[in-house]
C-alpha cells in the first residue's frame, strides 16, 4: 500500500477510539506539539491525526485491528527520544503512545528476569533492578527512553562491549501484529530453539512489523565493584590504536569510550563542571565491573599498562562515586553539549570494524577541512560506533544544506568502504532510509522487504520507516 | 612552601548499618575511600605547590591500614605522608582527634599551611580542622572556596551562609576547604607504579611530645554518644493523572500543604 492509499482518520474513527479509550484520545490542538517530532526536529515535524495513550495490550490490539480494517497508519511511540524520526507520523494516522504503560509487572528473582510494560522508562528499570541487587545490562545514554523504544531500535549504549545491546537481553515479547492479533514470543527460558526466532526479528524493527506492549528482560547479579580509567593521549591515532590491543590481550572492559578535547570542553561548558583532565587532544574512558576487587584490579592494571605501552600520557584511576561522577557526568552530556553549541546540526551514527575507527576519525578531520564546516564526533571505541555531528554554526541555510548532504554522503560511503554499517544504534527511521538502501545489496534489501510484507501486507505499521514498500 | 594536608578514610557507601544497641557504625566489610572533602584539600595543596613550589605532606590518624589513604595521596601527588596510629588513639571524639593530629603535626617541623576538608562524610562535625588550629595556636579560616598565595601568607575567600568574606592570613595558618571550583585530580597509574615502595612513616603515642594518655582516644573524649539511629526514609509515592493545568494546580497545593512553597 502506498501513501495515497492510506485512509484518512475521520470522525467515526475518532468516535471508535474514544469509545475504546475515553479521555486518553487526543486530536487537533489537544495533541501536544512534541508528538510531531523526536529529538531531531531537523528531520521534519509531522503531526499524527490522533494520539491514543494506551493502557493495555488488549487496547493496543483493538486499535491496530481497527486500523488494519480501515487502512490507517499506526505509529507506536514511547517517550520520543529517538534520533532518526522513527516515532514520527510522517503519513499521519493513529499514534499509539505507550508512555502510560509504565508498570514493572514482575521481578522473578529465581529466573533473573523482569517483565515490564513497554512504556517503562529505562532509568526506572535500572534503579528498581539495582535496589534488588540486580543489573539491567543495556545502558543506552538516554535514560528517559522507554524499554519498548529501546527494543524497537535495539538500543546499544556504553556497556555494549561487555554485555551486548538491548536485543541480547530480550527473553520474550508480547506483540500486537498488524491485524491486531496478539502473540507471546519467547519466555522465561534460557534456551529456545522452537521455530523461527520471531522476537529476534522484531527487535530493532522500529515498529514496522508489530507494536511491542510487554517485554520479558534478562537480568544479571549486580557487580559488587565498578571502576573506571581516564586515559589522555597526545594523538588520536595512539588513542584509538590502543583498543584492538586490549581486545588482543583477551580483556573485555565493560565500556570503552572515545572523546576528543573539543567535546570534553563543550560538555564542561554545558554542565558547568570541570573534567578531571582536559589538556590532552584525545581520551579513552574505560569502565570495569566485577564481583571481587582482585578480579577488577587484575583487569584494569593490565589495561593501564597496555595504554602506557600504546603511548598514553598517563592513566587516571576513578574508583569512588565522586570520581566516577566527575568522568561520566560530562560523558553523558556530550550529545546535549554539542546540540547547544550550534543552531542546527545533523548526526551520523555509523559503525565500523574496531580496527578501522582511527582511519574513520582521520577521514572526518579531512572532511572537516575540505568542506570548511565544524564536524564533532565522539563514540563507543569498544564497538566501533561513532556519533558524528555536522554543525551549521550560523551558516547560510542553503550552503549548509549542500555541505551537509556532501558530508553525510561522504561519511556513509566511507563507512561502506570500511565494511561498516549505516547505524550502530540509533536506527534508520525515515531520516536514514536512503543511506540504508544504498548500503544494502539488492538481495538483502529484497529480503528485508519480504519480511515487512509478510508481517504487514497492508503497510500500515509505522509506514515510511526503515524500508520503502512501493 | 610546606603544606600539610589532613586526610581520613571514610565508608565509601552512603548506607552504613548502625548497631542500634551500641550506636556504633558497622564498618566491618564496608569499603573505604578518602573523604571527598579531603580530596579537595589535597587538590588545593597541589595547586598552591604548582604556583609557589614546596612540598605537600599528607597526614592521617587511624589504624595501620590507614596507610592506604596516604598511598592514595601519593598517587594523586603528595610528596610525603605519615600515619598517627596507636591503640591508645582509638575511640577518639572531635576533641581527642584534633589533639592527636596537632601533636602529630608538631613532629613534622616548621610548616606554612595546614589544609583540611570542610568536614568528613561520616562524622560530619566540621570541627576538627578549626580545633587542630586552636591546639597548634595558629589562625584559621573554615569553608574556604578560593585561595591564592600572597606575600608571606594566603588570601582566601570564605563562603559564609549569607556572605562571602575575603581574608588574608599570615603563615603559618590553617584552612578548611569547600568545593568551590576545585576538581580533585585522579590518582595516577604512572605514580602508582613508581611509588609503590615509597615509605609511609607511622608515628605512635610514644613518639608524641605530650605523654598524657588522658588526652588521647576514648579517655580524652568527653563526648558520649547516647543513641545513634538511621534516619527514617520513605518510598511512598502518589501517582496523579490529569491535564497539565490540573496537575500543576494540584502540585502547587501539595507543595503548599507540605510547606515547601
Amino acid at each position: 500500500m502506498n501513501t495515497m492509499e492510506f485512509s484518512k482518520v475521520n470522525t467515526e474513527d475518532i468516535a471508535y477510539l474514544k469509545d475504546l479509550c475515553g479521555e486518553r484520545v487526543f486530536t487537533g490542538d489537544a495533541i501536544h506539539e512534541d508528538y510531531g517530532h523526536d529529538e531531531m526536529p531537523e528531520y521534519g515535524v509531522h503531526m499524527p491525526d490522533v494520539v491514543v495513550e494506551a493502557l493495555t495490550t488488549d487496547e493496543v490490539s483493538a486499535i491496530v485491528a481497527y486500523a488494519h480494517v480501515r487502512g490507517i497508519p499506526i505509529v507506536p511511540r514511547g517517550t520520543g527520544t529517538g534520533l532518526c524520526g522513527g516515532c514520527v507520523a510522517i503519513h499521519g494516522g493513529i499514534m499509539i503512545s505507550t508512555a502510560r504503560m509504565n508498570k514493572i509487572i514482575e521481578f522473578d528473582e529465581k529466573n533473573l528476569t523482569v517483565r515490564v510494560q513497554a512504556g517503562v522508562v529505562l532509568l526506572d528499570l535500572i534503579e528498581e533492578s539495582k535496589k534488588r541487587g540486580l543489573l539491567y545490562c543495556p545502558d543506552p545514554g538516554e535514560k528517559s527512553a522507554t524499554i519498548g523504544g529501546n527494543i524497537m531500535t535495539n538500543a546499544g549504549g556504553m556497556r555494549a562491549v561487555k554485555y551486548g545491546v538491548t536485543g541480547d537481553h530480550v527473553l520474550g515479547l508480547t506483540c500486537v501484529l498488524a491485524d491486531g492479533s496478539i502473540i507471546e514470543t519467547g519466555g522465561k527460558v534460557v534456551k529456545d530453539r522452537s521455530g523461527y526466532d520471531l522476537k529476534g526479528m522484531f527487535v530493532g524493527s522500529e515498529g514496522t512489523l508489530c507494536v511491542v506492549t510487554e517485554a520479558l528482560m534478562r537480568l544479571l547479579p549486580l557487580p559488587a565493584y565498578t571502576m573506571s580509567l581516564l586515559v589522555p593521549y597526545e594523538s588520536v591515532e595512539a588513542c584509538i590504536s590502543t583498543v584492538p590491543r586490549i581486545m588482543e590481550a583477551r580483556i573485555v572492559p565493560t565500556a570503552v569510550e572515545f572523546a576528543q578535547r573539543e567535546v570534553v570542553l563543550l560538555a564542561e561548558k554545558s554542565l558547568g563542571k570541570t573534567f578531571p583532565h582536559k589538556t590532552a587532544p584525545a581520551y579513552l574512558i574505560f569502565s570495569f565491573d566485577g564481583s571481587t576487587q582482585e578480579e577488577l584490579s587484575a583487569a584494569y592494571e593490565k589495561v593501564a599498562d597496555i595504554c602506557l605501552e600504546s603511548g598514553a600520557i598517563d592513566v587516571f584511576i576513578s574508583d569512588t562515586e565522586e570520581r566516577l561522577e566527575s568522568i561520566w557526568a560530562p560523558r553523558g552530556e556530550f550529545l546535549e553539549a554539542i546540540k547547544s553549541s550550534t543552531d542546527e546540526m545533523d548526526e551520523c551514527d555509523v559503525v565500523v570494524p574496531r580496527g578501522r575507527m582511527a582511519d574513520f576519525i582521520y577521514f572526518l578531520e579531512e572532511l572537516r577541512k575540505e568542506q570548511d564546516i565544524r564536524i564533532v564526533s565522539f563514540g563507543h571505541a569498544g564497538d566501533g560506533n561513532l556519533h558524528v555531528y555536522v554543525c551549521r554554526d550560523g551558516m547560510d541555510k542553503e550552503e549548509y544544506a549542500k555541505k551537509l548532504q556532501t558530508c553525510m554522503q561522504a561519511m556513509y560511503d566511507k563507512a561502506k568502504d570500511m565494511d561498516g554499517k549505516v547505524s550502530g544504534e540509533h536506527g534508520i527511521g525515515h531520516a536514514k532510509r536512503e543511506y540504508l538502501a544504498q548500503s544494502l545489496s539488492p538481495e538483502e534489501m529484497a529480503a528485508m522487504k519480504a519480511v515487512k510484507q509478510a508481517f504487514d501486507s497492508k503497510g500500515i505499521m509505522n509506514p515510511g520507516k526503515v524500508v520503502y514498500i512501493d | 612552601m610546606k603544606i600539610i594536608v589532613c586526610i581520613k578514610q571514610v565508608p565509601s557507601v552512603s548506607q552504613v548499618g548502625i548497631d542500634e544497641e551500641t550506636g556504633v557504625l558497622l564498618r566491618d566489610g564496608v569499603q573505604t575511600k578518602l573523604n571527598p572533602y579531603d580530596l579537595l584539600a589535597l587538590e588545593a595543596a597541589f595547586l598552591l605547590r604548582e604556583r609557589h613550589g614546596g612540598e605537600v605532606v599528607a597526614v592521617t590518624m587511624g589504624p595501620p591500614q590507614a596507610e592506604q589513604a596516604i598511598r592514595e595521596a601519593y598517587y594523586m601527588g603528595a610528596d610525603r605522608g605519615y600515619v598517627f596510629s596507636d591503640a591508645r588513639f582509638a575511640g577518639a571524639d572531635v576533641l581527642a582527634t584534633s589533639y592527636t593530629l596537632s601533636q602529630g603535626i608538631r613532629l613534622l617541623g616548621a610548616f606554612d599551611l595546614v589544609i583540611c576538608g570542610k568536614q568528613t562524610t561520616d562524622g560530619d562535625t566540621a570541627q576538627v580542622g578549626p580545633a587542630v588550629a586552636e591546639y597548634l595556636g595558629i589562625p584559621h579560616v573554615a569553608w574556604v572556596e578560593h585561595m591564592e598565595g600572597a606575600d608571606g601568607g594566603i588570601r582566601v575567600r570564605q563562603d559564609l551562609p549569607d556572605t562571602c568574606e575575603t581574608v588574608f592570613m599570615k603563615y603559618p595558618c590553617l584552612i578548611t576547604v569547600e568545593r568551590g571550583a576545585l576538581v580533585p585530580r585522579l590518582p595516577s597509574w604512572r605514580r602508582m607504579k613508581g611509588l609503590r615502595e615509597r615509605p609511609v612513616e607511622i608515628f605512635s603515642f610514644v613518639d608524641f611530645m605530650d605523654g598524657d594518655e588522658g588526652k588521647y582516644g576514648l579517655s580524652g573524649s568527653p563526648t558520649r554518644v547516647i543513641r545513634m539511629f538511621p534516619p527514617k526514609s520513605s518510598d511512598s509515592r502518589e501517582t496523579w493523572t490529569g491535564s497539565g493545568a490540573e496537575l500543576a494546580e494540584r502540585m502547587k497545593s501539595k507543595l503548599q500543604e507540605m510547606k515547601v512553597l
Side-chain angles (χ1 to χ4, degrees):
Chain A
M1 178 182 282
N2 68 35
T3 316
M4 302 307 289
E5 293 169 12
F6 291 129
S7 301
K8 282 304 245 180
V9 174
N10 61 30
T11 48
E12 274 178 37
D13 302 329
I14 302 296
Y16 172 81
L17 294 170
K18 286 199 168 165
D19 193 37
L20 192 67
C21 301
E23 290 179 349
R24 290 176 282 112
V25 176
F26 303 89
T27 56
D29 292 345
I31 301 176
H32 195 280
E33 59 183 15
D34 280 354
Y35 284 111
H37 59 84
D38 61 5
E39 291 286 313
M40 291 293 287
E42 286 88 345
Y43 298 143
V45 174
H46 306 271
M47 296 305 286
D49 296 308
V50 52
V51 173
V52 186
E53 293 178 343
L55 293 181
T56 64
T57 301
D58 286 343
E59 274 184 4
V60 175
S61 165
I63 297 164
V64 177
Y66 181 86
H68 186 254
V69 172
R70 286 272 295 116
I72 298 171
I74 288 286
V75 182
R77 181 180 172 108
T79 40
T81 60
L83 293 162
C84 51
C87 63
V88 179
I90 57 172
H91 295 300
I94 303 170
M95 178 171 281
I96 300 179
S97 166
T98 59
R100 287 173 73 170
M101 297 178 71
N102 58 1
K103 307 259 180 323
I104 296 179
I105 299 165
E106 180 204 38
F107 273 100
D108 180 342
E109 299 194 23
K110 287 196 179 94
N111 286 303
L112 294 186
T113 62
V114 59
R115 183 179 290 281
V116 297
Q117 282 189 305
V120 165
V121 169
L122 176 60
L123 184 65
D124 290 343
L125 182 55
I126 292 171
E127 292 297 324
E128 287 301 318
S129 302
K130 207 172 167 183
K131 280 185 198 166
R132 292 163 174 81
L134 296 167
L135 176 71
Y136 177 71
C137 300
D139 186 34
E142 179 52 71
K143 298 293 187 284
S144 66
T146 62
I147 301 303
N150 280 178
I151 293 169
M152 283 293 100
T153 53
N154 198 7
M158 296 188 248
R159 289 201 288 250
V161 189
K162 180 169 179 180
Y163 293 112
V165 296
T166 303
D168 296 317
H169 301 274
V170 176
L171 290 173
L173 293 174
T174 303
C175 303
V176 174
L177 301 181
D179 64 355
S181 55
I182 299 168
I183 64 164
E184 302 256 357
T185 175
K188 287 182 185 176
V189 286
V190 178
K191 297 174 177 175
D192 183 5
R193 272 296 302 114
S194 317
Y196 293 132
D197 178 13
L198 290 182
K199 69 178 160 47
M201 204 169 281
F202 295 152
V203 167
S205 64
E206 302 189 37
T208 62
L209 305 181
C210 65
V211 181
V212 167
T213 56
E214 285 182 23
L216 182 71
M217 306 300 291
R218 188 161 69 106
L219 298 167
L220 287 180
L222 191 68
Y225 298 88
T226 56
M227 61 93 61
S228 294
L229 298 176
L230 173 65
V231 191
Y233 286 87
E234 290 290 3
S235 76
V236 171
E237 188 176 21
C239 182
I240 296 290
S241 68
T242 305
V243 181
R245 289 181 194 174
I246 286 162
M247 301 301 163
E248 268 170 13
R250 307 285 183 267
I251 306 165
V252 184
T254 313
V256 190
E257 296 293 300
F258 161 77
Q260 283 169 284
R261 185 163 179 265
E262 181 182 0
V263 180
V264 167
L265 296 181
L266 286 176
E268 275 195 337
K269 196 173 159 197
S270 173
L271 264 186
K273 286 184 179 171
T274 308
F275 202 59
H277 192 286
K278 54 184 175 183
T279 51
Y283 293 91
L284 283 180
I285 308 172
F286 293 89
S287 169
F288 299 87
D289 61 22
S291 51
T292 65
Q293 184 63 54
E294 291 69 30
E295 177 190 343
L296 210 59
S297 300
Y300 94 73
E301 288 181 9
K302 241 186 194 176
V303 167
D305 281 336
I306 294 171
C307 290
L308 289 185
E309 287 159 18
S310 307
I313 297 169
D314 200 342
V315 176
F316 295 105
I317 296 159
S318 172
D319 54 358
T320 64
E321 211 175 297
E322 297 79 20
R323 285 173 172 155
L324 291 169
E325 168 80 9
S326 73
I327 296 176
W328 291 103
R331 167 60 191 85
E333 189 67 11
F334 284 174
L335 171 57
E336 289 305 320
I338 295 169
K339 258 188 183 176
S340 59
S341 75
T342 189
D343 46 350
E344 192 179 336
M345 58 162 216
D346 197 353
E347 73 128 31
C348 160
D349 158 54
V350 289
V351 58
V352 295
R354 282 183 281 225
R356 306 301 306 273
M357 207 166 174
D359 293 336
F360 197 87
I361 291 164
Y362 283 122
F363 158 76
L364 292 178
E365 291 291 326
E366 289 303 312
L367 188 64
R368 174 183 181 145
K369 280 183 212 148
E370 181 195 302
Q371 291 295 318
D372 191 23
I373 192 164
R374 189 161 65 101
I375 300 177
V376 193
S377 69
F378 63 89
H380 309 306
D383 53 34
N385 185 196
L386 262 179
H387 301 316
V388 187
Y389 301 88
V390 181
C391 304
R392 183 175 164 196
D393 294 350
M395 190 183 287
D396 170 71
K397 205 170 176 60
E398 265 180 38
E399 188 189 357
Y400 171 67
K402 215 170 137 193
K403 286 193 177 190
L404 178 64
Q405 169 64 25
T406 309
C407 290
M408 285 291 168
Q409 192 64 54
M411 288 191 283
Y412 288 114
D413 287 348
K414 189 74 179 173
K416 194 180 175 191
D417 283 351
M418 291 180 166
D419 296 326
K421 299 283 177 187
V422 171
S423 171
E425 58 186 8
H426 294 166
I428 302 300
H430 68 92
K432 307 291 178 186
R433 284 177 312 191
E434 292 292 348
Y435 299 116
L436 178 73
Q438 289 172 20
S439 75
L440 300 182
S441 68
E443 295 78 12
E444 194 176 359
M445 181 50 97
M448 286 200 186
K449 286 184 178 178
V451 170
K452 168 74 175 168
Q453 202 78 47
F455 281 99
D456 180 25
S457 59
K458 293 180 98 174
I460 61 163
M461 301 301 277
N462 208 5
K465 312 295 165 58
V466 189
V467 292
Y468 285 107
I469 299 291
D470 304 319
Chain B
M1 179 175 189
K2 181 165 158 185
I3 306 168
I4 294 170
V5 183
C6 300
I7 61 177
K8 185 191 179 191
Q9 282 183 319
V10 295
S12 66
V13 286
S14 51
Q15 300 292 317
V16 181
I18 294 170
D19 184 324
E20 294 217 27
E21 270 185 31
T22 62
V24 173
L25 289 181
L26 301 171
R27 289 174 192 265
D28 283 354
V30 173
Q31 295 173 52
T32 59
K33 64 178 180 184
L34 275 188
N35 174 38
Y37 289 102
D38 299 346
L39 298 177
L40 301 171
L42 283 166
E43 183 61 29
F46 299 145
L47 291 175
L48 287 168
R49 183 183 61 186
E50 279 165 19
R51 276 180 230 136
H52 307 289
E55 66 168 347
V56 173
V57 182
V59 300
T60 189
M61 181 187 96
Q65 56 266 36
E67 177 192 334
Q68 193 47 45
I70 300 295
R71 296 229 158 267
E72 195 169 327
Y74 284 168
Y75 306 151
M76 288 176 70
D79 301 292
R80 284 191 291 138
Y82 299 88
V83 179
F84 309 141
S85 186
D86 197 297
R88 280 164 281 198
F89 299 160
D93 67 357
V94 168
L95 200 70
T97 301
S98 313
Y99 191 67
T100 310
L101 285 170
S102 71
Q103 281 293 304
I105 288 168
R106 283 181 192 280
L107 295 176
L108 306 179
F111 60 86
D112 298 292
L113 179 64
V114 178
I115 310 182
C116 302
K118 178 182 77 164
Q119 65 194 68
T120 57
T121 54
D122 56 356
D124 277 320
T125 66
Q127 293 170 6
V128 169
V132 168
E134 288 298 320
Y135 280 127
L136 289 170
I138 57 175
H140 57 90
V141 173
W143 308 329
V144 169
E145 57 161 19
H146 179 77
M147 68 228 69
E148 53 190 43
D151 192 23
I154 190 166
R155 194 180 310 280
V156 299
R157 192 165 68 226
Q158 185 182 26
D159 182 24
L160 296 167
D162 300 318
T163 54
C164 280
E165 199 168 313
T166 301
V167 179
F168 172 79
M169 280 189 296
K170 278 198 165 170
Y171 296 136
C173 58
L174 179 147
I175 58 174
T176 75
V177 294
E178 276 274 17
R179 177 164 294 281
L182 293 169
V183 176
R185 63 198 62 192
L186 300 171
S188 144
W189 176 244
R190 272 195 197 282
R191 286 184 67 88
M192 196 183 273
K193 282 167 77 82
L195 298 175
R196 280 205 169 119
E197 304 305 317
R198 178 176 279 187
V200 174
E201 208 170 326
I202 296 186
F203 286 136
S204 61
F205 176 74
V206 292
D207 300 309
F208 281 12
M209 284 179 270
D210 186 344
D212 180 356
E213 281 190 35
K215 289 182 179 165
Y216 300 96
L218 199 58
S219 48
S221 300
T223 311
R224 291 288 170 267
V225 177
I226 296 175
R227 188 171 161 239
M228 205 186 253
F229 53 91
K232 277 186 188 154
S233 65
S234 164
D235 277 347
S236 70
R237 60 169 86 171
E238 291 174 31
T239 306
W240 302 336
T241 51
S243 71
E246 286 163 15
L247 291 176
E249 196 51 49
R250 199 161 163 192
M251 176 69 82
K252 185 179 156 205
S253 315
K254 183 72 183 178
L255 292 174
Q256 280 170 335
E257 183 191 315
M258 292 166 73
K259 300 195 185 331
V260 179
L261 274 186

